[in-house]
Short mmCIF file of all heavy atoms in Angstrom, two decimals:
data_model
loop_
_atom_site.label_atom_id
_atom_site.label_comp_id
_atom_site.label_asym_id
_atom_site.label_seq_id
_atom_site.Cartn_x
_atom_site.Cartn_y
_atom_site.Cartn_z
N LEU B 286 114.33 142.09 93.34
CA LEU B 286 112.92 142.19 93.77
C LEU B 286 112.14 140.94 93.38
O LEU B 286 111.33 140.43 94.15
CB LEU B 286 112.27 143.44 93.16
CG LEU B 286 112.65 144.76 93.82
CD1 LEU B 286 111.94 145.91 93.12
CD2 LEU B 286 112.31 144.75 95.30
N MET B 287 112.40 140.47 92.17
CA MET B 287 111.73 139.26 91.73
C MET B 287 112.06 138.10 92.65
O MET B 287 111.20 137.33 93.06
CB MET B 287 112.17 138.90 90.31
CG MET B 287 111.38 139.63 89.25
SD MET B 287 111.66 138.82 87.68
CE MET B 287 112.89 139.86 87.00
N MET B 288 113.36 138.01 92.96
CA MET B 288 113.78 136.91 93.82
C MET B 288 113.09 137.00 95.17
O MET B 288 112.63 136.00 95.73
CB MET B 288 115.29 136.97 93.99
CG MET B 288 115.83 135.72 94.61
SD MET B 288 117.61 135.72 94.65
CE MET B 288 117.99 135.50 92.96
N LEU B 289 112.99 138.20 95.67
CA LEU B 289 112.33 138.42 96.95
C LEU B 289 110.89 137.91 96.89
O LEU B 289 110.40 137.26 97.82
CB LEU B 289 112.35 139.90 97.27
CG LEU B 289 112.02 140.29 98.70
CD1 LEU B 289 113.07 139.71 99.63
CD2 LEU B 289 111.98 141.80 98.84
N GLY B 290 110.25 138.19 95.79
CA GLY B 290 108.87 137.75 95.63
C GLY B 290 108.74 136.23 95.70
O GLY B 290 107.90 135.69 96.41
N PHE B 291 109.63 135.57 94.97
CA PHE B 291 109.58 134.11 94.99
C PHE B 291 109.84 133.56 96.38
O PHE B 291 109.24 132.60 96.82
CB PHE B 291 110.60 133.53 94.00
CG PHE B 291 110.25 133.86 92.58
CD1 PHE B 291 111.22 134.32 91.71
CD2 PHE B 291 108.95 133.70 92.13
CE1 PHE B 291 110.90 134.63 90.40
CE2 PHE B 291 108.62 134.00 90.82
CZ PHE B 291 109.60 134.47 89.96
N MET B 292 110.80 134.21 97.05
CA MET B 292 111.14 133.74 98.38
C MET B 292 109.95 133.89 99.32
O MET B 292 109.71 133.05 100.18
CB MET B 292 112.32 134.52 98.94
CG MET B 292 113.60 134.28 98.19
SD MET B 292 114.07 132.54 98.23
CE MET B 292 114.67 132.32 96.58
N LEU B 293 109.20 134.96 99.14
CA LEU B 293 108.01 135.15 99.97
C LEU B 293 107.04 134.00 99.79
O LEU B 293 106.45 133.50 100.74
CB LEU B 293 107.32 136.46 99.60
CG LEU B 293 107.88 137.71 100.27
CD1 LEU B 293 107.18 138.94 99.74
CD2 LEU B 293 107.72 137.61 101.78
N MET B 294 106.91 133.57 98.53
CA MET B 294 106.02 132.46 98.26
C MET B 294 106.49 131.20 98.97
O MET B 294 105.71 130.43 99.51
CB MET B 294 105.92 132.21 96.76
CG MET B 294 105.03 133.24 96.09
SD MET B 294 105.04 133.15 94.30
CE MET B 294 104.84 131.42 94.00
N MET B 295 107.80 130.98 98.93
CA MET B 295 108.33 129.79 99.60
C MET B 295 108.12 129.89 101.10
O MET B 295 107.82 128.90 101.76
CB MET B 295 109.81 129.66 99.31
CG MET B 295 110.10 129.53 97.84
SD MET B 295 111.73 128.83 97.61
CE MET B 295 111.31 127.25 96.94
N ALA B 296 108.27 131.09 101.62
CA ALA B 296 108.12 131.26 103.06
C ALA B 296 106.72 130.90 103.49
O ALA B 296 106.51 130.28 104.53
CB ALA B 296 108.45 132.69 103.45
N SER B 297 105.74 131.24 102.67
CA SER B 297 104.37 130.94 103.08
C SER B 297 104.12 129.43 103.04
O SER B 297 103.26 128.93 103.73
CB SER B 297 103.37 131.68 102.21
OG SER B 297 103.43 131.22 100.91
N ARG B 298 104.90 128.75 102.23
CA ARG B 298 104.80 127.29 102.25
C ARG B 298 105.39 126.73 103.53
O ARG B 298 104.86 125.81 104.13
CB ARG B 298 105.54 126.69 101.06
CG ARG B 298 104.66 126.50 99.88
CD ARG B 298 105.45 125.92 98.74
NE ARG B 298 106.23 124.77 99.17
CZ ARG B 298 107.19 124.24 98.43
NH1 ARG B 298 107.49 124.75 97.29
NH2 ARG B 298 107.85 123.19 98.86
N ALA B 299 106.52 127.30 103.92
CA ALA B 299 107.17 126.83 105.14
C ALA B 299 106.31 127.11 106.35
O ALA B 299 106.38 126.42 107.36
CB ALA B 299 108.54 127.48 105.29
#
Side-chain angles (χ1 to χ4, degrees):
Chain B
L286 284 180
M287 275 195 262
M288 192 174 288
L289 195 63
F291 294 134
M292 294 300 141
L293 276 176
M294 283 172 47
M295 300 199 112
S297 66
R298 269 179 50 193

